[in-house]
Amino acid sequence: MKAAVLSEYGTPPQLTDFPDPRPEPGQTVVRVGAAGVHHLDLFKASSTPQDARFDVPYVVGSDGVGRTPDGRRVFFDLPVPPYGSWAEQVLVREADLLDVADGVDDATAAALGNTGLAGWLALSWRAELQPGESVLVLGATGQVGSIAVQAARAQGAGHVIAADRNPERLQRIRSRGADATVVLTDTDDLPFALRDAAGDHGIDVIIDPLWGEPALAAMQAASPHARHIQIGHSAAPTIALPATTIRTARLQILGFAILDVPADIRRAAYLTLTEHAAREDITVDVTPIPLSEVASAWQQQQKGAPTKLVLTPHTEPLATKGR
């Protein structure tokens, strides 16, 4: 089969032939329809041999959507090494498969994999969002943030605030469910701007893929007993957090990692998420790229692609119906 194979750490993968996977008991082969492109994939490939998780050569790619031999359409992650998702076929554990809703194409379903689940489950599972609560999403025009804005609305939030540095992209996110937007700036007025956008609704839940100064401003603007869900640090890895900021609002600061979510909850959440996508209640900006152009996908991801990139190994049209 054709696959994007990493032969040496610190170099990009190359499209080449790789042995077809052979399943053992409890495993299955999935014919890949679309595979997500993540910064994590690039990070793993950039490891030193001493820090590497897998021996080379191995196929790059951590998740995707495809079909099992019996025709079941599934989302998968955690492929069995040395097989990754950037290939025509992948080897996975049967217990790790998640069903995909009817009516959503493979590229969208792949884009809503771990990225979409992070935005959805940070609210429903980690924050335990209640109907009518107010949600602030930092980094709202990013891939996780955009889903979180839409997920908040789908899960019954009473008021959704989208905050990011790009004012033009913020205008677009307003059409996807945000009631108010705030441009993140490096000024002392940011907590006031966030409180003003919240109005009488306050801020009950903060979804934070940024950390740094935006996170501090959000905590200073938060309502009493707010839950701050920390899922990333693209703005800064550290923060100077006064103890009074936590005590004054009695804040709960909760870390979130997708691997902590029980399998049955992930399975149900992904099916619900793709059902919303099929109805176009939740949309994602996705750019499919043929597997043959993996070098271009690699470069785009390194530069920070404005949309979610997915690789498509096969030339026939992407699946749109059925499991």
Side-chain angles (χ1 to χ4, degrees), residues 221-235:
S223 299
H225 306 289
R227 289 95 75 200
H228 186 110
I229 313 302
Q230 215 303 302
I231 61 176
H233 55 270
S234 60

Side-chain angles (χ1 to χ4, degrees), residues 9-311:
Y9 280 100
T11 65
Q14 301 295 317
L15 186 68
T16 186
D17 291 321
F18 200 78
D20 290 349
R22 295 182 179 275
E24 296 182 358
Q27 300 175 345
T28 190
V29 174
V30 174
R31 187 172 185 269
V32 181
V37 178
H38 305 285
H39 284 299
L40 179 61
D41 300 318
L42 276 64
F43 175 77
K44 289 178 180 177
S46 301
S47 302
T48 63
Q50 293 78 15
D51 297 329
R53 295 179 57 190
F54 309 128
D55 294 331
V56 292
Y58 76 86
V59 179
V60 178
S62 51
D63 66 16
V65 166
R67 289 191 182 270
T68 61
D70 61 2
R72 178 186 174 197
R73 194 157 70 111
V74 296
F75 168 77
F76 61 87
D77 61 0
L78 302 176
V80 178
Y83 297 98
S85 60
W86 295 10
E88 293 177 325
Q89 300 178 78
V90 65
L91 184 64
V92 296
R93 295 196 316 149
E94 293 176 343
D96 293 335
L97 300 178
L98 281 63
D99 287 312
V100 183
D102 292 347
V104 59
D105 64 78
D106 284 351
T108 299
L112 289 172
N114 283 317
T115 300
L117 280 170
W120 183 273
L121 288 166
L123 286 160
S124 65
W125 181 75
R126 197 66 172 116
E128 296 182 341
L129 179 68
Q130 300 301 305
E133 287 190 314
S134 177
V135 176
L136 165 62
V137 180
L138 302 176
T141 69
Q143 292 163 3
V144 174
S146 174
I147 297 299
V149 168
Q150 299 174 79
R153 179 63 66 211
Q155 293 177 27
H159 191 69
V160 182
I161 307 151
D164 208 295
R165 289 188 177 276
N166 190 317
E168 294 179 0
R169 292 173 66 179
L170 275 174
Q171 288 304 310
R172 185 175 184 184
I173 210 69
R174 183 182 281 271
S175 69
R176 295 185 175 182
D179 298 294
T181 58
V182 175
V183 178
L184 296 177
T185 60
D186 298 321
T187 69
D188 294 336
D189 295 333
L190 185 53
F192 173 81
L194 293 171
R195 284 193 293 268
D196 186 58
D200 294 338
H201 302 276
I203 299 173
D204 301 306
V205 173
I206 301 162
I207 300 299
D208 173 25
L210 302 182
W211 205 232
E213 290 303 313
L216 178 58
M219 291 186 226
Q220 292 170 336
S223 299
H225 306 289
R227 289 95 75 200
H228 186 110
I229 313 302
Q230 215 303 302
I231 61 176
H233 55 270
S234 60
T238 60
I239 188 173
L241 177 59
T244 53
T245 298
I246 300 175
R247 289 202 308 272
T248 300
R250 278 78 75 196
L251 285 173
Q252 299 180 56
I253 302 177
L254 305 171
F256 173 81
I258 193 72
L259 292 177
D260 292 337
V261 183
D264 59 334
I265 294 177
R266 290 178 68 244
R267 189 173 292 110
Y270 181 74
L271 185 58
T272 299
L273 185 58
T274 52
E275 287 172 345
H276 278 288
R279 297 193 298 266
E280 298 184 353
D281 298 334
I282 289 180
T283 59
V284 57
D285 297 322
V286 57
T287 300
I289 299 175
L291 181 62
S292 59
E293 299 176 19
V294 63
S296 174
W298 189 269
Q299 292 172 357
Q300 290 182 54
Q301 189 69 19
Q302 281 183 319
K303 295 176 182 178
T307 62
K308 182 63 182 177
L309 305 181
V310 299
L311 289 167

